[in-house]
Amino acid sequence: MIESNNKDRLNQFISNPYKALWTLSIPMMLGMSVQAIYMLIDTAFIGHWVGGSALAGLGLIFPPMFIIMGITFGLGSGATTVIAQSIGEKNKEKADNAAEHIILLGIVISLFFIFSGILFGKSLLEFQGSDPIVIKHASDYFYTMLYGVFFMVLSIFFRSILSGEGNNLLPMKVLGLGTLINIILDPIFIYYYQIKGAAIATVISQITVFVVFCYLMLFKNHNYISMNLKNFNFNINIFKQILNLGIPASLSMVTMSCGLFIFNAILNITPYSSNAIAAYSTAHRIEHLFFIPIISIATCMVTLIGMFYGSKNYHLINKVFFYAIKSGLIISIIFGIIFYTSSKFMLSLFTNDIEIILLGVSYFEVFSFAIPFITITMISSRCMQGLGVAYPMFIITCLRVIFINCALAYYYIIYLNKPLEFAWYSIFISCISSAIISYIWFLIIRKKRLDIVLQ
């Protein structure tokens, strides 16, 4: 029955690719929205109950945690692509085996993350900031979060498997449950344990999500993909395919994290120091509201492009790509207007510190104009991955984050001694550059891939 439903889903996607995009992305948007609400509530509690130094502490732990999540999401997206293409080729056995490979890989890398965090976590935090109070807040949060890394990694991979088969409704429900638990526990634990309490609440929710995913996918077989880890057969070709697609995506996330390390270090040198980091960190959490629909659309494009490419429905690739770009640009313009006009009000929900609010407003006054270009970059990069070509994402990210954004910020702030706003300008310039490169690169990759298969 499940296999029949999945074939019906593939046929539905082919018959109406526009509807398929929203069928896949809306459940993901809803699930991420619940998570975003939690994250914003979490930030508000920490900002008002613990203080601005705690917000700066969140800014310091974001890069190392983003490295962990980035590598996991990158490898997961590689598995999503392999599974989607295998389903498009009607090769269920390969799809099942790819799912088993990514789960076992998750067990290995989660242990690696935990030991690396224990050994190098403090050094990574101290590289970005020098305020001992901020470092203390960051350490309390980071080392507590390490207890939940195993459960977080495996849960992300379970979601990647479900995305590969075109099922985003189940992850939405499971993640929504975890986020609800997090929201309930957050104020209680923050009240008693301050910023460490926020991490404890998150770890408990991650364990819950992991247990539910295991029950539904491994014991109840509540999905198309079947996993039998006891009879696992290692396939070097499938493993290489996942890594070839996932590693460039992971490296692009790691590059973004390295950029955040460097950017925080640059902000720490400015006269605003910890307040600049706090403003940047808080603005990041608010702007996640915009990234919810765009990440959802871009992520679902990996599934759709992969399925259309695997099933040889090449004409649908162009159709759904330009539709996704148009839809994403409309959404990004709306969010740009909201952020530009309402950033002061939104920032005041998270802190009473006037300087942090004003610095955050100056950030949004620039970032609001960069949003459409971010949309083009994300969708174009994910579509290339759906075609089985992931390395452009890594190269574009390196150019944007390291060679343009961080280099310009260093030049403006350190070398020319310009005001803080010039750090925001460097972000804007990097977003424009990456959008142009990624869009043209996708058109070239698409033409090459289709020319090869049509010869």
Side-chain angles (χ1 to χ4, degrees), residues 112 114-126 142-143:
F112 171 77
I114 292 169
F115 287 116
S116 298
I118 293 171
L119 292 175
F120 305 111
K122 188 175 182 181
S123 299
L124 293 175
L125 298 177
E126 290 177 343
F142 179 73
Y143 286 107

Side-chain angles (χ1 to χ4, degrees), residues 74-95:
L75 293 173
S77 67
T80 297
T81 306
V82 174
I83 291 169
Q85 290 184 353
S86 300
I87 291 173
E89 296 165 358
K90 297 181 173 58
N91 188 344
K92 185 177 184 299
E93 183 179 351
K94 181 181 177 181

Side-chain angles (χ1 to χ4, degrees), residues 1-15 86-92 165 224 307 311:
M1 179 64 72
I2 294 176
E3 184 170 354
S4 175
N5 289 339
N6 201 77
K7 289 179 180 178
D8 290 342
R9 185 186 294 126
L10 175 60
N11 292 331
Q12 289 171 5
F13 290 171
I14 292 172
S15 64
S86 300
I87 291 173
E89 296 165 358
K90 297 181 173 58
N91 188 344
K92 185 177 184 299
E165 66 175 60
Y224 172 70
M307 284 187 175
S311 61

Side-chain angles (χ1 to χ4, degrees), residues 8-29 163 165-169 296-305 307-308 316 319-320 323-324 327:
D8 290 342
R9 185 186 294 126
L10 175 60
N11 292 331
Q12 289 171 5
F13 290 171
I14 292 172
S15 64
N16 194 338
Y18 297 161
K19 182 180 178 181
L21 179 62
W22 299 114
T23 299
L24 288 174
S25 62
I26 288 177
M28 185 178 291
M29 289 181 200
S163 294
E165 66 175 60
N167 182 0
N168 286 329
L169 185 59
S296 299
I297 290 172
T299 302
C300 293
M301 289 297 288
V302 176
T303 302
L304 287 177
I305 297 292
M307 284 187 175
F308 295 156
L316 297 179
K319 193 174 182 179
V320 75
Y323 178 74
S327 301

